[in-house]
Every structure is written in structure tokens, then in C-alpha cells.
Amino acid sequence: MSDHIGSEENTPWSRRGFLLTAASLAAVPHLTLQDRAAASAELPGFPEDVDVYRSAYRNWVGEITATGLWACAPADPDQVVAVVNWAWKHGWTVRARGCSHGWSPLTIPAGTAPGAPVLLVDTATHLTGLSVESTTPAAVRAGSGVTLEALLGHLEDHGLGLTATPAPGDLTLGGALAIDAHGTAVPALGESRLPGHTYGSLSNLVLSLTAVVWDAESDAYVLRTYERDDADGAALLTHLGRSLVTEVVLRVGANTNLRCVSRTDIPAAELFAAPGGDGRTFASFLDESGRAEAIWFAFTEFPWLKVWSVAPRRPLTSRRVTSPYNYPFSDNIPTLVADLAGRIMSDAAWYLAPVLGNAQLDAAVLGLTTTLSADIWGPSKNTLLYIKPTTLRVTANGYAVLTSRAEVQRVIAEFTAFFRERLAAYAAAGRYPVNGQVEIRVTGLDDPSDVATPGAHAPSLSALRPREDHPEWDTAVWLDVLTLPGTPHAEAFYRELERFLLATYDGEYALTRVEWSKGWAYTDEAAWSEEEVLGTAVPMSFDDGTGPGWTEATAVLDRLDPHGVYDNTFLKRLFP
């Protein structure tokens, strides 16, 4: 098959095949229109005014798929209620689906059989309303199916914006809130938080949310709105797919212009150095600008560092950008990278991981220059959103390490040193578990006072929920390692990283929590499978002994869905 690499043959992992696969993953889910009579035969009593159809499901990287499922697109929240009550009465489960831009089995677990009694509820078709509710203080009402790109565009039109967001624009708001989606931002030295903004997750901006929950008096599922000071609502702010939110009201603030400068000239040994020196460390850029991200391709020495800074006026050397996605070399797989990825996967040439890492770095260095994107400036949306569905799709693990701002560089130095040592040890044994990159971001925590609502609760299950027993922890270091799906030894390598993180950051000066949407709970063979992590480490990371923890949040979610309409087999293991 290696003879076909770079040719026009459609072999599965030729360059053309690789790009076609990426394009198919970027496409909308496959829908099969059904004759209503045929649907009625299989779904007796299904609400007649709700569009229903057969659909496949596929997560972001295509590692979790299911075919032949029934799906529907309710036109409004009342139709969602009707669908959920139908599912309850007929013994089905309901899974909200947005853009399926995630890795973990929170929506559909692997092995879901064709025709299983699982109903996908597509929120992005109709639940997309957007309206600015007030100007002082600012708030926006949004349907759970609206994409982040649409939300940020609407806010920009009204002079509003967010401090930080995830890089992909093709996330639905409901999906982002379900897993406490985040960007990268902490206050620079001397910087004060702007009203209506947060350095935490998107979940921390919620003023109120409306969800479909069980009501014992009505003996049915109903729409109920929870304000931010409602203790039950705290469990829904990051619900992990254990509820269905139809609409939210978010606190927002004045938009800012951001400058984003990319650098590839700082060695990893300097950027990730142990604290105490005076070099160009990651922490030094946080002190200067507050917003930074490192992308460190495997087997390379110079990370791609992005540094954002608030800049009301365009700096002389910056290029003005009027739309997002300004790194086309990253969003559209370069020929050399596609050729290498195709060869690695078709020929099992995993030893080419160092070549692929260097090719990706070279593409970034060249692309930043040729596209004039090394120094860009514009409204926040246009520098914060930079990942399209056409990018190289890789699997990823993910963790948030809670610590104090003063310990950020220490955490980064320790983790990157361990990663480098283990990657070299694997390579020396002829094993190449990582062919993607390490990604490092830093955020604040979910301080409920940011929304300026008296009595507001922090999201109970957000990885950024503050620990009452460690008030000095005000920061989270987000760590992700990415590799092509199916890479041999990746799970074993990920397990070593996870065991290191859990053992090193065990509550003394830092604490590890999992990133819900990514990979975690690794055995040597699979993610989301290590029972001690699922049953002990994850719950304990949310129990600080002074406030509602994992057990209390679980009880709320059970009470709001006593019939398990929002369950799946994985969630039953996570919440036994």
C-alpha cells in the first residue's frame, strides 16, 4: 500500500483516502428519512409533530460509532418534553446530540447496537434561538443547540464577548456546558476581571438554565428553570449528559480586541523549565499577558506558543483579522502531513512518529509566515476560534491540575519532564505511542461571584470547581496529549501519564481532575475502563469535606431523572 501514498488511489489510508475520511468526519451525521408510517410501526405513539429519522452516530475522531439509531429534531422545548416523556413510557433512553465534537462515551458508548432503544435528540436543528436580554449588566438568552461560533458572532454584533472559549466553533452551547468547556486565560499581573466575564469555564457564566426534569406531582418530565442560586441547578451546570438542557441565560461582558502572537523560537527546555530561573517560561508569559497556549509536537524541541493580549488598538506589526480560523495550514491538512499520517496508518509505520512531529512543526513555522498569521489582531472571536472540522483528527487524553498561580510553572515543568522521559524510553524500545502533540492551557477556576448573583453556586461537577479546603488554589493547568487513533501502546502510555498525574498532584500542592470530554481512566488496553479511577479517584477529586460533593451531585441528578431516561451504560458505571 505504500506505493499508493500521495497518489489518487482511494485506499483507506492513502493521502486521498485519509483526506476523504477527514472530510466524511467533518460532514453532518448521516440521516435517513423515514416514511412516517414505518416510523410509527417501530415507535408507537411517538409525538406526531416531531421530525423523526434513522441516523448514525460518530464521535469526533470516529472511535465511537453506532448505526441504525432513531433520532429526532424537536422544534421547540415543548416538543423536547413530549419526546422525553414518550421515551420514559416506552423504556427508551434519550441522548442529546449537538455537533458530536467529543471523545468520551458520555453520549453513546462504544458497542451500542444498531436499533438499540436509544433516541438521539438533535438540538442544533431548531433549538438555536439567540437574543440579548439586557445591556447593564449584559446577558444573552440562547438555545442549547446554538454553536459557539454563532453565539460569539451574535455577541460581537452587540459589542459583547467572552474572555476565553474553546478553539473549535462547531460546539453546541449545550454540549459545551455539559462538560465545562474552557479556553485559556488567567489575569495578567495588574489585570482586573471585566464585569460579565470569567476566567473559568463557560458553565460559570450561566445565570439560569431550563432543563427537562422529573416532576413527582405531575408524574411526568417537565420544563423547569433553575436560577444560579438554586442548589439543584448547580448539578446541572455541568451534567455530563445526565440531563437535557433546552435554553440558558449567560452573563456576558463588553467585547475586547485581542492580539495573538505565535512563536516557535523558544526551546521546550526553556519554556517548560523548572521555576526559579529568569528565562522565557510559560509562567512569564502568563504574568505578561494572562493568555497563553503551548502546542508541543512529539519529538520536536520548539513548541508552537500562542500568546494573547488585550489590545484596544491594532499594534503596528499586527494583521487585522475580520473572521475566525486564521491558521489554514492547521485547518486543512498539508500534503506532507497527510502523506505521513496516511503511511503511518496504512503501513503500520509507527516509527515515523518523529518525522510526523517535525513535519507538523515545519508546517506551522512555514504557515505562520506565508499566511501572515504570526501576529494577528481583531475582535476576540476572530483570534479565539481557530479549529475547523477539517483539521487532523486525533484522539486525546485530558486533565486539569488545580493549583495556586505560583505553582503553575512547577506543574508544567514536572509534567513535561516526565512526558519527555517516558516518550524517549518507549522510543528506545521501538515503541512510538504519541505522534501528535502535547497541549497546555491555563485557566482560572469557576468562581461563582463572577456572575454577580447573590448566593450563586459553583458548578458541582466542573473540573474548575474551587476546593473549599484549598482556597489558595486559584488556577488550573490543562494537559492534553494527542495521537492518531489506533496507535499501538498509546493506552499504556496514557495510563503511565495518568498514574503520574494522580500520584504527583494528590492534594498536597495540586490536585488532578479529569477533563470530561477527553480520554481518562486508562488501562493498558482502553480508556474509560480503569475501575479505581472511575470509582474512587474521580469522585474523591470533587469531595473537599466542607460542601456538596460527588455524592450530593449524584443524588440531585438521580432525583431529577429517577427513571434513568438520560442514562447509558458508561454513565451507570461512573454514577453507580
Side-chain angles (χ1 to χ4, degrees), residues 271-276 281-283 286 401 403-418 477 479 500-501 504-506 508-510:
L271 188 64
F272 306 141
T281 63
F282 196 98
L286 294 181
V401 179
T403 191
S404 66
R405 177 72 175 267
E407 299 284 12
V408 165
Q409 189 68 26
R410 177 182 177 183
V411 169
I412 292 173
E414 291 172 341
F415 173 77
T416 53
F418 182 80
V477 180
L479 303 167
F500 167 81
L501 289 168
T504 305
Y505 311 119
D506 60 354
E508 181 181 351
Y509 70 93

Side-chain angles (χ1 to χ4, degrees), residues 57 64 93 95 103-112 118 178-179 239-242 498 514-523 526-535 538-539 550 554 564 566-576:
Y57 173 84
I64 298 177
T93 58
R95 312 306 301 141
W103 289 260
S104 59
L106 298 178
T107 303
I108 297 291
T112 299
V118 176
I179 50 87
H239 60 72
L240 312 184
R242 290 206 57 195
E498 182 173 79
V514 301
E515 184 173 2
W516 295 120
S517 64
K518 303 284 179 65
W520 39 275
Y522 284 94
T523 65
W528 315 295
S529 301
E530 214 291 323
E531 294 301 331
E532 184 179 356
V533 175
L534 288 171
V538 168
W550 182 267
T554 300
Y566 302 124
D567 254 335
N568 67 31
T569 54
F570 173 71
L571 290 173
K572 288 178 180 178
R573 292 172 59 207
L574 184 60
F575 297 94

